[in-house]
Amino acid sequence: MMHALLPIFQWFSNSWMGLFIQRFNWVFPAIEAVHIVALTVLFGAILFVDLQLLGLMRRDTTAAKLAQELDPWVFSSLILICITGIMLFSSEALKLYGSTPFQIKMAFLFAAIIYHFTIHRWVANAKAGSLAPIWGRLAAVVSISLWLGVGLGGRAIGFF
Amino acid sequence: MSVRTLTVSAQIPEVRHGLAKRRIVLLTFGTIASLLIAAGVWILAAVLPSKTGSPIAPLRAICDWIYQTRTSVAIRESSYAFPLIEGIHLLGIGISVGMLCWFDLRLVGVAMTDQSVSKVWKRVMPTAFVGFIVMFITGGLLFWAEAATAYNSMDFWIKMGLLLLAGINAGYFELSTHRHAHEWDNGGILPLKARLAGAFSLLLWIAIIVTGRTMAYSF
């Protein structure tokens, strides 16, 4: 299946963006800096709601209220992460083609994004009392695990 | 303006729209700030004379000693220990700064404006504190493994300086500005000192994260 995707990796690798980032050695770390700052915001926003779902936070607000406040932050930081992520990807696309951590990260990433905007959003926005707390806790644990997989997978790309 | 009116106004479409606009402005500003800081650190690390380290020269012997201890060699030579510790370190950033930033953004006035400062503080700080402990322990281990390399890295010293500044900023806020927090709970715009503390904290933590990343390239 990976084989069929090779042309996409090659196209990115030959794109002007990939070549531009490769040419100057300071561009990659600079883009990576934005990538990491934005993902700190994303992880923080998701963790905030998940800790509320887990019941580890003060009970004077609901997960639904927090999610409503923080979802725009999740969305906008995710867009920023994707833009910088694609830029980083295009600069070393062919190296990533053979990278197992990258494949693991992408699998976690797609799962996490789909999960976040479907099941997670539905559970977090559920009216108080309409769902047993155990479902909220379960949703939070799955959410944290998926995003953790994305983060650790991403870090592993640089090492293995 | 009371908390009540703020809560109500946050639900009015125009106000929500205004918040969305501010959020995009802030994220753009954060992106530019991160890029500028990365460039600044890059230039600073290139310009400052490294390896002479005259005021901190006695530390060299300590760093060299740490570098040759068994624990240091073990972490450094293991193919899994270093990446794993660094992964946990990164997770620590996500927990600590990821939570702290909501308090800072509340101080600046762009997030959670419908909740009082003290409420956001009580909600955010216990988790952020756990994150900071994780980060300091793993950061200490990473330093232990690469002490001699870190000593020679200008980025490392810049990062330590920034950490010190973040500590001073937080300490000053805690001991002086935060004392008046009970006066802010009836809503409205916070005093300039509080907004500046939030902005400085955000910028410093961005800079610390960026320097941490560029440091790895200088190793």
Side-chain angles (χ1 to χ4, degrees):
Chain A
M1 187 224 162
M2 274 303 280
H3 189 70
L5 295 175
L6 184 58
I8 300 174
F9 285 75
Q10 280 168 336
W11 183 85
F12 271 107
S13 177
N14 290 320
S15 64
W16 63 266
M17 194 155 59
L19 296 172
F20 174 78
I21 298 170
Q22 278 168 16
R23 184 179 298 173
F24 305 102
N25 62 355
W26 52 268
V27 180
F28 191 91
I31 298 171
E32 203 178 7
V34 178
H35 193 66
I36 294 175
V37 171
L39 79 83
T40 307
V41 175
L42 175 87
F43 190 76
I46 287 167
L47 190 68
F48 209 145
V49 177
D50 283 346
L51 287 176
Q52 190 75 40
L53 281 173
L54 278 170
L56 293 172
M57 295 277 234
R58 298 160 61 82
R59 303 285 168 83
D60 50 5
T61 191
T62 59
K65 263 193 190 155
L66 278 178
Q68 214 178 23
E69 164 88 36
L70 292 173
D71 243 15
W73 288 94
V74 170
F75 191 69
S76 29
S77 59
L78 192 60
I79 288 177
L80 191 57
I81 294 169
C82 287
I83 294 172
T84 49
I86 290 168
M87 288 164 98
L88 295 174
F89 168 77
S90 62
S91 75
E92 49 175 22
L94 287 182
K95 189 195 132 198
L96 292 174
Y97 177 72
S99 161
T100 315
F102 176 74
Q103 293 173 14
I104 294 171
K105 179 183 176 177
M106 285 303 115
F108 269 110
L109 181 66
F110 288 124
I113 290 177
I114 293 168
Y115 175 77
H116 182 83
F117 289 103
T118 54
I119 299 174
H120 189 264
R121 167 171 279 189
W122 180 67
V123 174
N125 286 326
K127 271 206 187 112
S130 65
L131 271 177
I134 183 74
W135 293 112
R137 297 212 174 104
L138 193 67
V141 169
V142 173
S143 163
I144 292 174
S145 316
L146 285 175
W147 290 108
L148 208 61
V150 180
L152 292 179
R155 192 67 281 257
I157 292 173
F159 281 111
F160 302 109
Chain B
M1 213 194 291
S2 71
V3 178
R4 198 173 174 79
T5 46
L6 264 178
T7 317
V8 174
S9 64
Q11 282 148 10
I12 300 168
E14 296 95 76
V15 178
R16 286 205 76 82
H17 183 70
L19 275 176
K21 217 170 164 185
R22 266 203 275 179
R23 186 171 53 244
I24 291 164
V25 168
L26 198 90
L27 274 174
T28 316
F29 179 75
T31 310
I32 296 167
S34 310
L35 283 171
L36 285 179
I37 290 166
V41 169
W42 194 273
I43 293 165
L44 210 61
V47 168
L48 288 176
S50 58
K51 291 181 187 178
T52 51
S54 38
I56 41 176
L59 287 178
R60 149 145 263 160
I62 300 174
C63 289
D64 283 341
W65 177 80
I66 291 174
Y67 194 72
Q68 55 81 45
T69 56
R70 287 176 72 175
T71 334
S72 176
V73 177
I75 299 173
R76 197 165 57 240
E77 306 265 297
S78 158
S79 45
Y80 291 104
F82 198 86
L84 196 68
I85 297 172
E86 210 181 319
I88 298 170
H89 190 62
L90 197 68
L91 177 69
I93 295 172
I95 298 172
S96 56
V97 184
M99 292 308 268
L100 181 74
C101 75
W102 302 112
F103 182 71
D104 291 337
L105 289 169
R106 173 64 186 87
L107 285 181
V108 177
V110 271
M112 316 212 147
T113 38
D114 57 341
Q115 293 173 41
S116 70
V117 173
S118 50
K119 255 191 184 175
V120 179
W121 171 265
K122 280 179 194 150
R123 190 163 288 141
V124 159
M125 275 310 148
T127 317
F129 190 69
V130 173
F132 279 119
I133 291 176
V134 171
M135 205 159 59
F136 277 116
I137 293 173
T138 50
L141 283 173
L142 291 173
F143 169 74
W144 198 270
E146 292 281 1
T149 330
Y151 178 87
N152 284 323
S153 159
M154 209 57 224
D155 294 85
F156 173 76
W157 293 109
I158 296 172
K159 184 174 177 179
M160 290 303 111
L162 289 167
L163 269 175
L164 192 69
L165 286 178
I168 292 170
N169 183 49
Y172 179 75
F173 176 77
E174 238 348 85
L175 295 174
S176 147
T177 320
H178 203 198
R179 293 259 163 105
H180 307 284
H182 54 93
E183 296 163 19
W184 310 337
D185 283 356
N186 27 2
I189 292 176
L190 301 183
L192 183 66
K193 254 187 170 180
R195 279 179 286 153
L196 273 181
F200 277 139
S201 172
L202 282 172
L203 280 177
L204 282 169
W205 280 107
I206 289 179
I208 291 166
I209 293 172
V210 170
T211 329
R213 197 69 277 264
T214 51
M215 187 167 82
Y217 287 100
S218 75
F219 273 18

